[in-house]
């Protein structure tokens, strides 16, 4: 039986035609019309006016922090329960990540805790330069209170929507909150360019500046003139062609991942000790990954025992993100609570969730878990 992966790339079927068009046009570099079109199509989809396609989501995060003016010694608050790339970018600019705990309603940054602590930081003159709010596993954070608090205190908000393209919050698309947002088209995300990302947002000056920095910061002069240290962070025309084919298929992918989640819930939701990541009432989750917690004494098995069982059957599953405040790379960083994220990590499992997962394949996973 073939190995089952957590979230493998899936072709939409139109990639070859798009890439062939790009090759036939001869325009494979620099940048090109597919990059412009991919950006425009993403803006229309997410409902934001400006975009800069990048070589990765991490590059987009780095650019977002640079143009937001985050520099050495600044504090940047972010969720502790996320992929390391979120906080790595904070360190690229020499800033200090401050990690905020999750809530159980969405597994994202606890909005009550965040609002309270930001108000305290305002009183003690220790406000962060920026906040990076993460939309985890295809679900938006509770953005209204977080956006309002950042506005009230004049703190820049960056939305890390790498895992949440296609999700909504109170009817608005993930990626349309905050002054800037980032998306990822890494191979395991809901759409992929094989590797890529995008910085999007409502501030033209910042997105223009990001595009400038991402193209080696070349000034418009005949000779090579550079006033800033630049980066080589842009997406290629060929990969943008792949991204356009994938983006056109996004709705089907969301439907497929939601159906997979629904099927897992029906099969496993009533097992003792099992609890799936809730879908908060404020939005629609894509369930990029289906995640659940397994409480050991009641469930009769630990998270790791289930992972071992799946691995033995050639099924890839993973623990929930290890909170960043527990990572050696971020040892010593300030953490605002963290116990909820620690518990979600201790008991949390991510199940195969790719949009190409067939019902018979999913049944293999389910049978293995029921044991
Ligand atoms: C995937 C991911 C990123 C990084 O995106 P890349 O395109 O892999 O660089 C950033 N943040 C989160 C939350 C992610 O899941």
């Amino acid at each position: 039986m073939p190995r089952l992966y957590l979230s493998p790339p899936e072709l939409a079927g139109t990639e070859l035609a798009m890439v062939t068009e790009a090759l036939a046009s001869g325009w494979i570099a620099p940048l090109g019309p597919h990059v412009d079109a991919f950006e425009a199509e993403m803006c229309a989809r997410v409902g934001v006016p400006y975009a800069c396609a990048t070589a990765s989501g991490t590059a987009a995060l780095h650019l977002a922090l640079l143009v937001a003016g985050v520099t050495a010694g600044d504090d940047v608050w972010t969720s502790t329960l996320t992929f390391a790339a979120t906080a790595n970018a904070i360190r690229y600019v020499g800033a200090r990540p401050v990690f905020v705990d999750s809530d159980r309603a969405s597994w994202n940054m606890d909005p009550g805790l965040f609002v309270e602590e930001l108000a305290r930081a305002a009183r003690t003159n220790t406000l962060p330069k920026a906040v990076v709010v993460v939309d985890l596993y295809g679900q938006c954070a509770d953005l209204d209170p977080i956006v309002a608090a950042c506005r009230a205190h004049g703190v820049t908000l960056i939305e890390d929507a790498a895992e949440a393209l296609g999700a909504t919050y109170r009817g608005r698309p993930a990626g349309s909150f905050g002054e800037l947002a980032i998306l990822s088209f890494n191979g395991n995300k809901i759409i992929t360019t094989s590797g890529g990302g995008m910085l999007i947002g409502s501030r033209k000056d910042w997105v223009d500046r990001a595009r400038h920095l991402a193209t080696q910061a070349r000034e418009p002069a005949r000779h090579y003139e550079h006033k800033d240290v630049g980066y080589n962070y842009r997406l290629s025309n060929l990969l943008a062609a792949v991204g356009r084919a994938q983006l056109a298929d996004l709705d089907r992918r969301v439907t497929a991942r939601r159906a997979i989640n629904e099927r897992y819930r029906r099969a496993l939701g009533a097992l003792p000790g099992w609890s799936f990541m809730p879908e908060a009432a404020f939005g629609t989750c894509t369930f990029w990954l289906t995640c659940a917690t397994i409480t050991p004494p009641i469930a009769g098995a630990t998270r790791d025992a289930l992972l071992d069982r799946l691995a033995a059957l050639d099924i890839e599953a993973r623990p929930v993100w290890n909170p960043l405040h527990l990572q050696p790379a971020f040892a010593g960083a300030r953490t605002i609570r963290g116990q909820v994220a620690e518990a979600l990590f201790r008991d949390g499992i991510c199940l195969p969730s790719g949009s190409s997962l067939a019902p018979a394949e999913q049944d293999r996973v389910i049978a293995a878990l029921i044991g």
Side-chain angles (χ1 to χ4, degrees), residues 55-76:
S56 70
T58 309
L61 264 172
H62 187 189
L63 291 168
L65 293 161
L66 286 167
V67 301
V70 179
T71 54
D74 288 334
D75 280 350
V76 176

Side-chain angles (χ1 to χ4, degrees), residues 316-333:
E316 184 190 26
R318 291 287 170 97
V320 162
W321 297 128
N322 188 1
L324 298 184
H325 72 271
L326 300 180
Q327 303 281 3
F330 301 107

Side-chain angles (χ1 to χ4, degrees), residues 53-135:
T54 54
S56 70
T58 309
L61 264 172
H62 187 189
L63 291 168
L65 293 161
L66 286 167
V67 301
V70 179
T71 54
D74 288 334
D75 280 350
V76 176
W77 290 16
T78 192
S79 315
T80 190
L81 194 66
T82 181
F83 181 50
T86 310
N88 286 343
I90 296 170
R91 292 278 282 270
Y92 295 168
V93 297
R96 285 185 306 219
V98 174
F99 297 117
V100 184
D101 204 359
S102 300
D103 73 350
R104 290 206 168 260
S106 74
W107 294 19
N108 282 302
M109 187 188 274
D110 183 325
L113 179 66
F114 173 79
V115 168
E116 192 185 303
E117 288 295 322
L118 202 69
R120 188 201 310 276
R123 289 194 301 274
T124 55
N125 214 15
T126 54
L127 279 170
K129 179 78 181 181
V131 170
V132 181
V133 65
V134 180
D135 300 328

Side-chain angles (χ1 to χ4, degrees), residues 8-24 34 38 185 187 189-194 237-250 252-253 355:
E10 184 188 17
L11 290 176
T14 47
E15 289 85 354
L16 188 59
M18 294 293 263
V19 173
T20 301
E21 193 288 323
L23 288 170
H34 283 286
F38 189 33
F185 316 123
K189 298 291 169 27
I190 196 162
I191 70 166
T192 183
T193 55
S194 78
N237 202 47
L238 293 182
L239 298 189
V242 175
R244 293 181 68 195
Q246 294 260 313
L247 180 58
D249 192 39
L250 177 60
R252 188 197 61 78
R253 288 162 189 246
S355 43

